[in-house]
Each structure stands twice: as C-alpha cells, then as structure tokens.
Amino acid sequence: MQKMPQWADVVLIPLISLLLAALLSALVILAIGENPWAALKLMVDGSMGSTYAWGYTLYYATNFIFTGLAVAIAIHARLFNIGGEGQAMLGGLGVALIALYIPWPHWTLALLGGAVGAALFGAAWALIPAWLQAKRGSHIVITTIMFNFIAAALLNYLLIGALKPSGSMEPATGRFPEATHLPTFQDMFSTAETALFRGAPVNVSFFVALIACVAVWALIWRTRLGYEIRAFGQSESAAKYAGISPTRIIVVTMLISGGLAGMMAINNVMGEAERLVLNAVEGAGFIGIAVALMGRSHPFGVLLAALLFGFLYQGGAELALWTSIPRELIVVIQALVILFTGALDNMVRMPLEAMFLRLRPAPKPARKTEPAE
C-alpha cells in the first residue's frame, strides 16, 4: 500500500525541496549583503528574459537531458551509473573521429553519423564496468567513477598528441568541416527582419534530446526489455526466477546508459564548439545524477529537471557577471538544489508520508454476517 499519492511523490516532494533550497540560498545571499529578490529577478531575466537567454538555457538543458536520461535508465535496473562524465568525454571522441575523418555531404547525415559514433563510444566506455559488475561483482559506482579519470587522461593524451593539428599549441582537434556544422536556433528561426537567439549556442540537437526522452519512455514502459529492466531493478531474485538473465540486463542497461551519455557530445562538441577540446563536458555528467533523481527517473521529469538546471546555470552566470556575488556562491546555490532534491529527499518525504497516513480515512469495520437458521 502506498503511503502517499503518486502525484505527491512526483510533484510535491521536488517542489518542497526546491522551495527549501531557494529559502536557504536567499539566506546565504542576504548574509553577504545582496538582495535575494533582486538576485532572483536577475537570474530569471538572464535565463528567460530574451531569446538569447533562452538559447543558453536550452543549450545547457540539452546536455543535462542526455546525461539525466543516462542515469535514469540505469536507476530503473538499480544500477548507479556515475560514469556519465567519462562516457560523454568518449562520446566527444567518437563525434570528432566521425566528423574529421569521414566526408559528409550534408549536416543531416553528419548528425546521424555523429549520434551513432557518440553513442557507440559512450556505450563502449560503459561496457567494461558493466561486465565487471555482472561477472566479477565489482561495484558499478567504483568502476564508473574510476573510468571517469581514465577517460580524462586518455582524452588529454590524444588531444596533445595524435589529434592535435601540427603547429597548434592548443590541446584540441582541428575545426570540423563546414558540412558537419549543425544549424543553430538562430539559423532556424530568425527572419530577415528579426534575429532570434542571436549568438546563442542552442542547436538542432535539442530536438534530438526531446526524441531521446520519448524513446526512453517507450523503451521503459512499452517494451519487453523495459519490463525486464524494471523487474530486475525491483527484485533480482524474482527476476531470475522469471527467467531474466541478470548479466544480460546489467550489460544491456549500461550500454544504453553509456550511449545516452555519449550522445551529449552532438550538442557540446558537434553543435557548439565544432571541434573537440579539453573539459568540453564541464561537469554535465555529474549534474545528470541530480537531474535523474529530481525527475524521479521518468523522462518527462528528467526534461523538467534539466530545464531547471539549465536555468540555474545560465541565471547563475548572469548573476556572477552583473552583481558582486562570486561565482563560487553560484555553485553553492546549485549544490543546495542538488542536496535537497537528492541526498535530503527523505527529510521531506517522511513527514509528508506521515501526514498523508494521518489524513487517510480509517477502513470501515467488516460487517458481521448473521448465521443462517
């Protein structure tokens, strides 16, 4: 029996957690002598006040959708993939190789090729931790976080060596060919009279992220594989009794998870930078954990949480630019949101469950039946 309605779990708990994080953030801003209300208005204007602001908010949200979906699908199998950072790095490597060494006649074909390359490289980077978990019992958290550091070292080695153009001093690949450049929202929605999203990096990969949300929803709740993933996540012993192979589910789930994290590279590498650079991921793999937790591992929830964190990233950048609030304090505000929506979830959940149990009407006593004469 559920202790509280489903809508309370999906909507009320994240909302209260957000309000608590906002209240504590306001107190922190007040403590350094700034006006919290003015800071909030500046964040809203800086992240949603113009098409330029929306362009950056949606750009960040696109990254977080991919990494959030990657974590979410793993959570359904009760796997905690915190290797999205490294998988996204390797996805960038896949995009770079596809874009640099295969001639593409048009960006549409390059986008398809880049998405496949990014997904394959991200999935390959998730395969070894998955196999170690399935076959050797190595904990997925330990192996995936170690692979983040290995991915960073590998990328650094390649970008100062084999992939760096001759004569260049920067640890980056050469610029991708013109045919692989993805159209931005400015290209897609501006007219001769009105320039929209001027200079913003949001691009067509945002729509790929939306398609990924629908695809993950269909996979989890409308396919046999999705049922097996959820069954394994609920009870491994019951899933084994039903004939579901734990090894297969762990490996397949992590391959899908790694592929989704890798596909982030079509946004930040192929769409925005148009080359592969160091630190291109910028922590989006770890933000994906908070996005998945806040979105309750549901693709629609992940979408909403990604938009929220896109707002926090872009609004925080504007706040640091136009006020005396230091950039480090913006990170603290983001951390508070992650803390309340993730680690401190039970602090909100348990009182609400107790409240709903008290409000639930008592069951009616069973009617006594008269014995037949």
Side-chain angles (χ1 to χ4, degrees), residues 65 69 208-218 299-300 302-303:
I65 289 171
L69 289 174
V208 180
L210 296 182
I211 294 171
C213 287
V214 176
V216 170
W217 174 83
F300 182 67
V302 166
L303 172 61

Side-chain angles (χ1 to χ4, degrees), residues 30-176:
L30 198 61
I32 65 170
E34 293 286 343
N35 185 339
W37 181 249
L40 177 61
K41 287 179 64 178
L42 185 57
M43 287 185 71
V44 171
D45 288 340
S47 58
M48 296 185 292
S50 65
T51 56
Y52 169 83
W54 269 109
Y56 273 91
T57 299
L58 294 178
Y59 166 75
Y60 292 125
T62 303
N63 290 337
F64 302 149
I65 289 171
F66 282 119
T67 56
L69 289 174
V71 177
I73 196 168
I75 287 176
H76 280 290
R78 201 162 289 182
L79 297 169
F80 199 33
N81 177 20
I82 59 174
E85 193 84 358
Q87 291 149 18
M89 291 180 196
L90 266 291
L93 178 61
V95 164
L97 296 177
I98 291 289
L100 288 171
Y101 297 108
I102 297 179
W104 297 99
H106 195 263
W107 69 263
T108 52
L109 298 176
L111 175 60
L112 291 173
V116 171
L120 287 176
F121 273 67
W125 203 245
L127 175 61
I128 300 175
W131 185 86
L132 290 172
Q133 164 86 13
K135 290 294 189 180
R136 309 298 298 175
S138 303
H139 203 289
I140 201 76
V141 170
I142 304 299
T143 52
T144 51
I145 199 169
M146 284 168 41
F147 267 64
N148 287 339
F149 292 100
I150 298 172
L154 174 62
L155 206 61
N156 185 65
Y157 170 77
L158 292 173
L159 289 179
I160 63 174
L163 294 179
K164 186 176 74 170
S166 59
S168 172
M169 297 298 292
E170 188 180 5
T173 67
R175 194 168 178 82
F176 296 164

